Structure formats: structure tokens, C-alpha cells
Amino acid sequence: MRQRTEILVGFAALIGLGVVAGLAGRSGPEATSTALRPSTFVSTPGGAEGLLDALKRMGIPIRRWRERPVQLRSYAAVPRQIFVVLEPDAPISPPELPQFSRYSATSDMLIAGRTASDLMRCFGYRVEWHPFDSIRVTGTYDRMPRVSATLAATSEKAFADTTRVFDVGRMECAVPAFRSATTLLNSTRGPVMVELVRADNGHRILLAADAGLFTNSALRSTDAGIFVLELFAGRYDRVTFDEYHHGYGATGSLAGATLDWSLGSPWGWMIWQLAAVGVLALLFGAVRFGAPVPGVERIRRSPLEHVRALATALSAAHGHDEAIAAMIQGLRRRLAPPALRARGDWRAWLDQLMHRSRSAGDQRIVAHLQTLAEPGQPSSSVLEAANAVEDLWQTLHH
């Protein structure tokens, strides 16, 4: 592929990546989304941070509960307190229902939202959801927000949840006796919010079918703000909000929080886009991928091969006698002791080698070398001398 074509392909891939990342970044909820998530950690119109701030300004101590409901047994109670559960994102599991039911004997409770319907069953009510209706709230307040759910009494003495009977068993909570049941908010389809007073200890249980009454937008723009704050004003010394079922458990990790932030924030999406662009740039700038090219194996020449090459060069230059003499001197350097390698005439050394050789083959090779060392030899004598030197080296060396 030509370099110009590679640049065009990389540029087109970069533009496509930017478009995909932009669409993915817009696919999540916007920062001003009105989706209902009434958590006191959320400041969007669908959150409940406004309720927490208002209660603080009223001088009521606030706590966000981020532990499992089983820890409520060790939660120190105060004479006047209320525990608030607003539209839990994570469903309340069957083992948690008895925990909340037992805790209502020591504290007031406010339970709101369709996803908390199973918990309301422990107090004799359930939520009837009307997803395609916008129900008008009737009563003293004229500017109340419309709701999409109402309450209905169940007339049950106990509520049993068998959805996890195979792993945790049958979970049952007994409906306590109430000395009074008052409808605080009504609608054209039935009660929206009721107040129950326990007959055994007088604690209040507030049940609301729609948690939208407690959101930031409802408190700011409707009469729900006045109504909700009147539920708390002058009544409680502490208000506790359940944040565990909104995903803010104390067991969260920094890595998980960072990932959630990066997926829900425009700055986070910008970081992901830059990282993807960097990876693409690294891939386009890398070497070509494929099978490795096998290396050329090079074998080092032996010293005799170098001598033969030198002899060939000298033969080409008509230095036959010098070539033969050089080969014989090289053989003497390899065979003679270190102290005698550079001493004496090489011809005399060759005569001594003739007398010391015991093998007839070695004597024949030495005699042939003596003949080739005589002056006036033809050019073919250089190659013969090289072969004779190599044969003599092989026999004497081994």
C-alpha cells in the first residue's frame, strides 16, 4: 500500500472513531436528565439532594446509610428519628425485608417508590403502577406534581417472599397492627401517600406510591416542597437516608467509581477518545506485521581456508613461490612449539619433518611439498600445495 493511501485510510479511521465515540458519549443520560433516581448524592432534577440540603437548613442532623440492612441492628437509635427509603435502584432482596420490618419497631420509616413495593407489603400495602396514566393529586395543595402510581391495601396478616426459596429459603414478615391509617395525599385513582401509626409503640410508617414527590424538581417547582418538609419539621432529631440500594455501598472501589465517572462525564469521554486515538496512531506507526524473516546463517572460515584464499590470490599475481612458502610457514606456526615457530629456515624445518614422520602417507605428503617448494613451479602447484598442507595438518593435528 502506498504511503498516501495509508495516510488517507488512517485519517478516515480517525474521523470514524470520533463519530462513534461522540455517539456513544451521547447515548448515556445527560447531566440534566429528569430520570428518577432520588438519591441524596444526585443533584439533577431527578435526584434528592435538595431534600437533604433543606433538612440541613432546618437544623435536622442527616446521615446517609451505606451499609447492608443487617447492620441496622447495631445502628444506635435516637428518641426521634426516621429512616427514609426512596425508590431503590437495586431491588430489596427477600432476606432484607425482615431486617427493615424489625427496624420499624425502633424508628419511624418513610418508604416511597414502585421498586419498594415488596417492602410496603410488610406493612399491608402494595403499589399499583399506572405507566400510561398521569394521575392528578387532589387535596389541599393545588400545584402538586402528577403521579403514575397509587397505593392499595392488601389486608394481609403476613407477607411471604418465595422468589429465593431455593438458596435462602422462605422469607416472611408479619404485618404489624396499626391503631390509625390516614391518607395524606389522595388522587383520582386512589391514595398516593398514607400514614400508619403502629399500635405497639406509636412509630409512624409513611408510605408513598410515587417517589417523584421527593425529587429536586418537585420540591423546587411545585407545592410538594411544602408538603414534604412539613412531614419532617419539628418531628425528628435525625433523618437517615438509605443510599445502599442506590449503589453507594461502602464496599465500592476507586477503580469502579473512576470508570463510572468516565462513562457518565463529557471529560471522561474525551479521555477515552484520546486514548483510542493514541492506540490507532501507535498501530498505524508500527512496523508491518507478519512472519519473521529468517536470518542468513554465516559460517566462519577455518584458518586453512584463509590460507587457500591467500594462495589463490598470490597465484593470480604470479607469486607461486611466495604462495607456497607462505602456506608452509603457516603450517610450521601451527605444528612447531611456540618457542621455535619463528626460528630457522622453513626448508630445513620441512626436511626435519620428513625424518620425524613415521607414517608412509605423511612422508609422501612432505616429499610432495618439498617438490612443490622448488622454484619455477607452474600456477597449478599453488592449489596442490594448499591441498597438501591441509591434508598434512589433518593427519598431524589429529
Side-chain angles (χ1 to χ4, degrees):
M1 186 181 293
R2 296 181 179 179
Q3 185 177 5
R4 181 179 301 177
T5 306
E6 292 179 352
I7 295 175
L8 292 177
V9 171
F11 187 70
L14 181 61
I15 294 178
L17 177 65
V19 173
V20 172
L23 294 176
R26 292 174 57 89
S27 63
E30 298 180 359
T32 57
S33 174
T34 57
L36 181 62
R37 192 186 182 188
S39 167
T40 58
F41 287 104
V42 179
S43 59
T44 59
E49 187 180 16
L51 176 58
L52 181 140
D53 293 338
L55 295 178
K56 284 184 177 180
R57 292 177 179 273
M58 293 170 59
I60 302 176
I62 303 296
R63 178 174 179 180
R64 293 181 170 110
W65 183 259
R66 300 172 60 185
E67 305 292 337
R68 295 179 179 273
V70 69
Q71 301 296 330
L72 288 173
R73 66 182 66 176
S74 59
Y75 186 37
V78 297
R80 299 192 308 168
Q81 68 173 355
I82 185 171
F83 193 89
V84 181
V85 180
L86 297 179
E87 190 78 38
D89 293 335
I92 299 176
S93 62
E96 296 173 344
L97 296 178
Q99 305 292 338
F100 281 115
S101 179
R102 284 192 293 268
Y103 188 72
S104 67
T106 61
S107 170
D108 290 2
M109 295 193 70
L110 169 60
I111 306 170
R114 177 173 57 91
T115 57
S117 180
D118 287 347
L119 182 56
M120 296 184 191
R121 296 282 294 272
C122 293
F123 301 100
Y125 282 82
R126 60 182 173 85
V127 177
E128 291 185 346
W129 187 36
H130 309 281
F132 303 106
D133 293 340
S134 180
I135 304 173
R136 184 175 63 87
V137 177
T138 60
T140 307
Y141 302 96
D142 298 330
R143 296 176 55 249
M144 293 295 288
R146 291 180 174 268
V147 297
S148 59
T150 57
L151 294 174
T154 61
S155 302
E156 298 174 340
K157 300 300 181 180
F159 170 66
D161 193 325
T162 59
T163 56
R164 296 182 58 181
V165 67
F166 294 104
D167 55 349
V168 298
R170 174 188 176 95
M171 292 297 165
E172 183 174 336
C173 55
V175 178
F178 299 102
R179 67 187 181 197
S180 66
T182 306
T183 300
L184 301 181
L185 284 179
N186 208 345
S187 70
T188 56
R189 300 290 295 271
V192 176
M193 187 170 185
V194 297
E195 177 189 35
L196 308 175
V197 180
R198 293 180 60 126
D200 51 357
N201 50 35
H203 284 296
R204 302 167 71 209
I205 308 296
L206 303 176
L207 304 180
D210 197 328
L213 300 170
F214 304 89
T215 60
N216 297 328
S217 60
L219 298 180
R220 181 178 62 251
S221 58
T222 67
D223 291 339
I226 301 175
F227 169 75
V228 170
L229 294 181
E230 287 180 347
L231 298 176
F232 300 93
R235 293 178 178 270
Y236 299 106
D237 297 328
R238 182 173 66 190
V239 178
T240 302
F241 289 92
D242 175 33
E243 294 296 344
Y244 176 81
H245 290 91
H246 287 296
Y248 296 100
T251 58
S253 63
L254 180 61
T258 303
L259 181 61
D260 293 340
W261 171 83
S262 65
L263 296 178
S265 171
W267 292 100
W269 276 104
M270 183 182 69
I271 294 175
W272 281 111
Q273 293 177 29
L274 291 177
V277 170
V279 171
L280 280 181
L282 181 63
L283 292 177
F284 280 103
V287 297
R288 294 182 181 273
F289 298 100
V293 179
V296 179
E297 185 179 0
R298 301 185 183 275
I299 303 176
R300 293 180 59 86
R301 292 183 177 182
S302 66
L304 291 178
E305 288 178 328
H306 287 281
V307 172
R308 180 178 294 181
L310 179 60
T312 304
L314 291 174
S315 176
H318 301 285
H320 310 148
D321 298 338
E322 289 79 1
I324 295 173
M327 287 187 287
I328 296 175
Q329 290 176 1
L331 179 63
R332 184 180 65 170
R333 283 195 300 269
R334 288 168 174 78
L335 294 178
L340 303 176
R341 286 179 181 176
R343 298 179 182 179
D345 185 13
W346 59 270
R347 295 179 184 273
W349 174 82
L350 197 60
D351 293 338
Q352 295 175 2
L353 185 62
M354 180 67 178
H355 296 297
R356 289 198 306 265
S357 299
R358 299 179 180 179
S359 172
D362 294 344
Q363 292 178 355
R364 185 171 55 255
I365 296 174
V366 174
H368 185 53
L369 280 176
Q370 290 176 338
T371 303
L372 295 174
E374 295 178 358
Q377 297 295 324
S379 59
S380 59
S381 62
V382 178
L383 182 59
E384 293 180 12
N387 292 330
V389 167
E390 185 174 0
D391 293 341
L392 188 59
W393 164 256
Q394 295 293 335
T395 58
L396 296 180
H397 180 68
H398 296 287

